[in-house]
Amino acid sequence: MTGADASAADSFDPIAFLEDAVQHASHEDVGPMREFLCETLADRGLEARVDDGGTVLAARGPPAADTETHVVLNTHIDTVSPHVPFERDENAPEADGGGVIRGRGSCDAKGPLAAILAAFFAVEPTDDRVTLAITPDEEVLSTGAYALVSGEESPTRDADAVIVGEPTDLDVCTAAKGRFQGTIHLSGANAHAAEPETGTNAVAALESVLAAIRTFDERDDAPPAHPQLGAATLTPTVVEGGEATNQVPADCALTVDRRSVPPETADEFHEALTAHLRAAVPDDVGLEFRFTDRPTPFLEAWDTDPDARVVQTLADASGGDVRPFTAATEASYFAAEAPTVVFGPGVLADDEGAVAHAPREYVEVADVRAAARAIETTLSELVA
């Protein structure tokens, strides 16, 4: 690293970056925010490229094949709708001076991005490698992250650790439940409601389906509760059925939400639920369970050993707890390939209610700086 490069790294202010980043709306189009990120990297002498999935990639250190340790830093630049304007509240109470930054993306996840960038610019690996991978659509379908891990040159494939930036209140999160969504379709036969015995009532068959849902995780081959995440859940959420008030309904559909725990996969859940329902539903009722269509795999449950080096190093550096994360993230894709943790400034919710995704979204300036220091310290311990 040249003296000029070191000076540029020293000059990076994560709070100034965050203030600008929040003002780049990225709920509908990440293009301007991605361009701002690439310009920020270029201004510090680092070459960035955008892969076919829209992920911004940059690296420091030798090629991964020539290194002993490779750490990947990830978060996302997209946000949910609607955009919430930037506001700097200098008078908000917080621990270390500097106030609070408000606006869409301030904590999810441009605050974590600012902290990650500060650490990325500060590290000077000579024998090892640090890769920055910033994805474009975590809040929707994760097409960028899926393309990243599916590519022939995926940086996570040979990674020794992945740090995913999300609002964790500086805790180190080592597991998260997966989320699957699908619809149970029941089919019968129409008939006049005055002679219901001449038809097959698909809506009435819901009674058996709902009873089966309640007992799904009590079956003998059900996955046990996870030591970090607890038990999986299966929740009926939306029901549709029937066309006329005087007709036996021939069709009914029930959507369900599955929050899985390791080691259950999407395919295993689909097979087990179909078999469990088929055993419960009358033989004259047709049954099919179909996952909701999406172009990328569902975010499955994942976990990392709490004793993994990246976990303990980051927890020591941040002073935070080691715990599960309560929301779905793209860490699901990366954890299959390398020890993965979720970490960053900000909170999903506070004592007043929701923060991330809410109109009152904010992050404390002191926490962004603390997260940057913790990630930098962790990288200094993991890479040489």
Side-chain angles (χ1 to χ4, degrees):
M1 187 176 188
T2 67
D5 288 340
S7 177
D10 291 341
S11 69
F12 178 75
D13 181 358
I15 304 308
F17 170 86
L18 178 57
E19 289 179 338
D20 287 342
V22 173
Q23 295 177 68
H24 284 75
S26 50
H27 59 300
E28 294 178 342
D29 178 10
V30 300
M33 178 61 205
R34 181 161 49 206
E35 183 177 350
F36 173 56
L37 173 59
C38 290
E39 290 174 353
T40 300
L41 291 163
D43 287 346
R44 282 146 187 87
L46 294 169
E47 181 180 354
R49 69 179 180 89
V50 180
D51 71 6
D52 292 341
T55 295
V56 175
L57 293 163
R60 308 201 65 183
D66 300 330
T67 63
E68 181 176 341
T69 303
H70 180 199
V71 178
V72 175
L73 305 175
N74 160 264
T75 189
H76 59 96
I77 54 175
D78 63 312
T79 59
V80 298
S81 295
H83 182 64
V84 177
F86 161 78
E87 178 185 347
R88 178 72 180 262
D89 186 350
E90 298 286 1
N91 298 316
E94 48 81 33
D96 192 31
V100 164
I101 292 176
R102 304 184 188 278
R104 180 62 74 228
S106 54
C107 83
D108 189 10
K110 294 174 182 178
L113 172 60
I116 283 173
L117 284 176
F120 182 66
F121 292 142
V123 71
E124 301 180 39
T126 55
D127 298 323
D128 296 321
R129 186 174 180 85
V130 179
T131 296
L132 185 74
I134 309 301
T135 54
D137 67 337
E138 188 264 0
E139 299 289 4
V140 186
L141 292 170
S142 297
T143 55
Y146 182 58
L148 181 70
V149 300
S150 302
E152 293 183 1
E153 299 181 0
S154 168
T156 59
R157 191 161 299 136
D158 59 11
D160 297 285
V162 180
I163 299 174
V164 177
E166 290 284 349
T168 70
D169 199 20
L170 304 180
D171 291 337
V172 181
C173 297
T174 56
K177 290 184 176 181
R179 181 179 184 268
F180 313 140
Q181 178 181 304
T183 301
I184 301 162
H185 296 270
L186 302 172
S187 57
N190 288 135
H192 197 292
E195 296 184 351
E197 70 280 358
T198 63
T200 301
N201 193 320
V203 169
L206 267 181
E207 181 178 4
S208 299
V209 169
L210 292 170
I213 286 174
R214 287 192 293 271
T215 62
F216 179 65
D217 287 309
E218 299 173 4
R219 67 192 196 282
D220 291 340
D221 60 345
H226 188 269
Q228 297 182 65
L229 297 168
T233 61
L234 180 61
T235 306
T237 57
V238 178
V239 63
E240 299 177 1
E243 296 180 356
T245 59
N246 62 347
Q247 182 185 57
V248 171
D251 298 288
C252 184
L254 177 68
T255 299
V256 294
D257 177 288
R258 177 63 165 178
R259 303 297 165 125
S260 62
V261 300
E264 182 181 73
T265 66
D267 289 343
E268 290 168 348
F269 166 67
H270 186 285
E271 181 180 354
L273 180 61
T274 300
H276 190 69
L277 293 172
R278 184 66 273 173
V281 171
D283 292 339
D284 59 346
V285 175
L287 180 144
E288 182 182 14
F289 174 59
R290 297 198 296 267
F291 278 134
T292 301
D293 289 336
R294 52 179 288 156
T296 54
F298 285 99
L299 297 176
E300 298 196 359
W302 63 275
D303 60 355
T304 291
D305 186 346
D307 292 327
R309 187 182 179 197
V310 65
V311 177
Q312 294 302 314
T313 304
L314 187 52
D316 289 344
S318 71
D321 294 333
V322 175
R323 63 170 175 86
F325 194 56
T326 56
T329 79
E330 291 172 342
S332 171
Y333 289 159
F334 309 137
E337 300 182 316
T340 299
V341 296
V342 177
F343 173 81
V347 294
L348 296 175
D350 62 15
D351 292 341
E352 296 181 24
V355 175
H357 296 193
R360 57 190 290 266
E361 184 172 350
Y362 70 88
V363 67
E364 292 189 2
V365 167
D367 284 351
V368 176
R369 296 195 186 280
R373 291 192 298 268
I375 298 172
E376 180 183 345
T377 298
T378 299
L379 292 179
S380 70
E381 293 287 332
L382 296 181
V383 301

